[in-house]
Amino acid sequence: EASVPLVRNSEMNLFYGTLYDGRINLGLMGTPYDAYLASDFEDIKDKYKAFIILTPKMTDKLKKIAEENENCLVITYKNHKITTDELRDFCRSKGVHIYSEKDAVIYANASYFFLHTASHGKAEMKLPVGMSLRQIHGDRIDIENDILPRHTGYLFEIEHLDR
């Protein structure tokens, strides 16, 4: 499951170029995220530990969400250069599990885990206690020890050791 939802407003395309850096870094922050519209917030607010609001400008609805929820980080054109380290720090401070301290795209649900490397080197994965991975696609690797090539994807089945 995604660790953090991305809440956006319907005017997202307004300043797409300005927010591009923030959006790219969200994908590389080492934990999965979901995307929702602001109108979905009431339905999802109890499902997540942290919220990232990515918007070109604050609307009254987004401002209200941010003010009423201390677990929100707002990214606008004013702070769109936020780094992956800053995103990881925010998520970690809210209790979100960070799978990789190194920039990596992570997709995960209850059954599957996908890693897409952003750079050459070790993956530096930190799995939650009781979770292991069994690789089911891609060149066979040892996720903890192998040097992995840049821009390569690996699909795993999640095995829960405590079940």
Side-chain angles (χ1 to χ4, degrees):
E1 289 185 22
S3 300
V4 180
L6 167 64
V7 179
R8 63 187 183 96
N9 88 36
S10 58
E11 300 174 342
M12 185 67 173
N13 294 331
L14 204 62
F15 298 107
Y16 184 77
T18 304
L19 296 174
Y20 186 76
D21 293 336
R23 193 169 153 268
I24 293 298
N25 285 345
L26 281 169
L28 293 173
M29 72 179 164
T31 196
Y33 70 89
D34 286 332
Y36 291 94
L37 293 173
S39 58
D40 297 326
F41 189 78
E42 287 302 313
D43 295 330
I44 65 163
K45 69 180 183 179
D46 296 327
K47 185 178 174 184
Y48 299 96
K49 295 177 181 178
F51 296 91
I52 297 171
I53 297 174
L54 178 61
T55 184
K57 65 178 185 173
M58 288 298 283
T59 64
D60 290 340
K61 184 168 188 82
L62 290 174
K63 186 175 181 178
K64 184 175 192 267
I65 289 171
E67 288 172 352
E68 293 177 358
N69 297 279
E70 63 185 36
N71 54 351
C72 284
L73 171 66
V74 177
I75 301 173
T76 67
Y77 69 92
K78 293 179 182 177
N79 65 337
H80 73 279
K81 296 282 187 185
I82 192 164
T83 68
T84 51
D85 286 334
E86 291 168 322
L87 289 167
R88 282 189 283 270
D89 288 345
F90 166 75
C91 291
R92 190 180 303 101
S93 76
K94 302 303 178 190
V96 174
H97 181 82
I98 304 298
Y99 289 92
S100 178
E101 294 296 328
K102 187 175 179 181
D103 290 359
V105 177
I106 305 289
Y107 299 103
N109 63 25
S111 302
Y112 298 99
F113 182 94
F114 183 81
L115 163 68
H116 187 270
T117 59
S119 61
H120 178 85
K122 285 191 175 186
E124 300 179 26
M125 300 302 300
K126 294 180 183 171
L127 300 177
V129 174
M131 175 194 265
S132 68
L133 301 175
R134 183 177 64 82
Q135 189 172 353
I136 58 176
H137 189 273
D139 292 337
R140 294 289 172 220
I141 62 165
D142 175 346
I143 198 167
E144 294 180 12
N145 298 308
D146 284 355
I147 303 296
L148 304 178
R150 179 177 182 223
H151 295 166
T152 306
Y154 304 93
L155 180 62
F156 302 87
E157 184 174 24
I158 295 173
E159 296 176 332
H160 297 280
L161 303 176
D162 53 352
R163 291 185 185 170

